[in-house]
Amino acid sequence: MSAPAGAPEVQLSHGGRLRGSWQDGLRVFRGIRYALPPFGERRFAPPVPVAPWQGVREAVDFGPAFPHWPRHAAPDADPVGGEDALSLNIWAPEAPADACLPVMVWVHGGGFVRGSASEPLYDGAAFARQGVVFVSIQYRLGVDGFAHLQDAPPNRGLLDQLMALRWVQDHIGAWGGDAAKVTVFGQSAGAGAIACLMGLPETRGLFQRVILQSPSVACQTLDEAQAALAAICELAGVAPDPVALAKAPIAPVLRAVQRLTQDAGLRRMMGLASRHLFPLRPVLDARMLAAPPLDALQTAWQQPTPLQLLVGHNTDEMRLYHVPGGGLDRITEADVIDFVRSAGLAWPSKQMGTPGERLCAAQSDYHYAAPAAALAQLAATRAGSAHRYRFDWPSPAFEGRLGAAHGVELPFVFGNLGNAAARELAGPAPPVELSRRMQQAWVRFAQTGDPGWAAHTTSSPSVQVFGGQDSTASG
């Protein structure tokens, strides 16, 4: 579609002009390409920046998602997305180029295998209405982004995110954003990716504050990455090398990833770690990622850093994966034992509830609560400041069994309570005031580094609890 007369335009610092659209008094620019399509001769290569151009380019429509299999797609469905997917979107208030507004850059989750920045849940208008320049980015997913391939750079999805963050540094001033006041934030795999980036020297100066929602920080060893690639390629009927994968139709490869994601028994049968739901994650390649995020940050933060961190988790994270479809009631004691052994956990002295409830609790702590606490503790001793939160609000979805599951906080943080995805997570009438408080805290953190409650310290640990009534707890 064409932009209407009087549409907002910006001049990039090195490049051409972009024309967006107005949305309720906000300037919205969608589908801004920050790198060339990573297909054809650029398949499995590092991202290539877009060359400067003359004239005006339209930035009205979202770019395609990176090809992936949607979460609830039927087995015979087609994948979604397209090749020209390395793009970003911007929501900004009307402001002069020298306004020095805080910037928030969103990295979406999806297990490193699905998702996009164009999902209605991630509309950034509510942030922009509070004086923030909001940016959402897309990156390579699945095999293209995270499979460890011979003669290809590792962790290509992280390389994409790095390039997008550099693009923000170069150009966000055109919207009145302050490149020295950037908060990068993400949820689940998005938060895990940011945790990986935080330990890299290449990210110094690209952001000053970080918000991690339910960070999943597990990475793959080279052996685990090799096993995952072999399993995917066996199911897809493709040789496990870049040339064969580049020539193969993408649908069978995506379908293989989806099958491994949905079927724990298949993962075990094909030699993958049964404790992980998703077959692809950042790889400890000894080049880009030399150590797991927590270990890398221990090294990177040997000297105190001014980075400020807000990190938290939800109470019932894993119910998102086990409650829909009735899976919670099919979990057996053998499943609990398998996970505890696979994760190397000590067997709890007290066994309460059904096997499904116990497995959800153990997995929630292992994948999300424990990493969030460890990151906060590390930041409290080595970084500028650390603040913790916990999201406790019990969703009424699925007859009240979903609880404060993984992702339920998202519509509250974004202030997008009315769309279909929000209703699926939070029900038909979620508390608007809870959303207001959470978003206000996120924006205040982006503006000042203080979300509005006491910092977490080693001597005085504290957690802000978001539920029906907010409170502060020690922990």
Side-chain angles (χ1 to χ4, degrees), residues 310-313 369 372-373 376 386-390 453 456 461-464 475:
L310 170 59
V311 60
H313 69 282
H387 288 83
R388 289 182 64 187
Y389 78 89
R390 189 177 74 233
W453 61 86
H456 173 86
S462 65
V463 181
Q464 175 70 17

Side-chain angles (χ1 to χ4, degrees), residues 276-287:
H276 295 301
L277 288 176
F278 297 98
L280 293 166
R281 296 182 305 285
V283 179
L284 302 177
D285 56 81
R287 287 186 285 171

Side-chain angles (χ1 to χ4, degrees), residues 62-272:
F62 287 117
F66 196 85
H68 68 279
W69 215 280
R71 178 177 175 82
H72 297 304
D76 58 349
D78 293 324
V80 300
E83 295 187 354
D84 195 5
L86 297 187
S87 63
L88 52 83
N89 315 293
I90 298 175
W91 283 257
E94 188 174 6
D98 61 354
C100 294
L101 300 174
V103 180
M104 298 184 73
V105 181
W106 172 250
V107 183
H108 70 79
F112 302 105
V113 300
R114 58 176 171 246
S116 76
S118 60
E119 294 179 21
L121 198 58
Y122 306 145
D123 185 290
F127 284 107
R129 282 193 289 270
Q130 298 186 60
V132 169
V133 178
F134 175 90
V135 183
S136 60
I137 68 174
Q138 296 190 158
Y139 53 97
R140 275 176 280 189
L141 304 170
V143 168
D144 286 68
F146 294 95
H148 194 69
L149 302 170
Q150 187 176 1
D151 301 323
N155 296 304
R156 295 167 297 278
L158 297 183
L159 293 177
D160 297 340
Q161 294 173 24
L162 268 173
M163 179 164 285
L165 289 168
R166 293 188 182 111
W167 189 99
V168 169
Q169 284 292 306
D170 290 340
H171 299 296
I172 205 61
W175 285 266
D178 187 347
K181 192 181 286 186
V182 174
T183 299
V184 61
F185 72 129
Q187 183 259 356
S188 192
I194 296 168
C196 290
L197 295 178
M198 287 165 62
L200 301 181
E202 296 93 330
T203 63
R204 289 172 188 161
L206 296 183
F207 47 84
Q208 294 71 42
R209 297 178 181 127
V210 174
I211 303 174
L212 303 179
Q213 300 170 212
S214 304
S216 173
V217 300
C219 294
Q220 288 183 326
T221 65
L222 288 173
D223 287 344
E224 290 172 332
Q226 185 177 27
L229 179 63
I232 292 166
C233 289
E234 180 180 341
L235 291 174
V238 182
D241 66 75
V243 175
L245 283 164
K247 292 180 179 179
I250 197 167
V253 177
L254 296 178
R255 186 176 292 111
V257 172
Q258 177 74 349
R259 287 182 61 192
L260 288 169
T261 299
Q262 293 182 326
D263 192 335
L266 181 62
R267 292 196 298 273
R268 284 193 296 269
M269 185 178 71
M270 303 199 77
L272 306 189

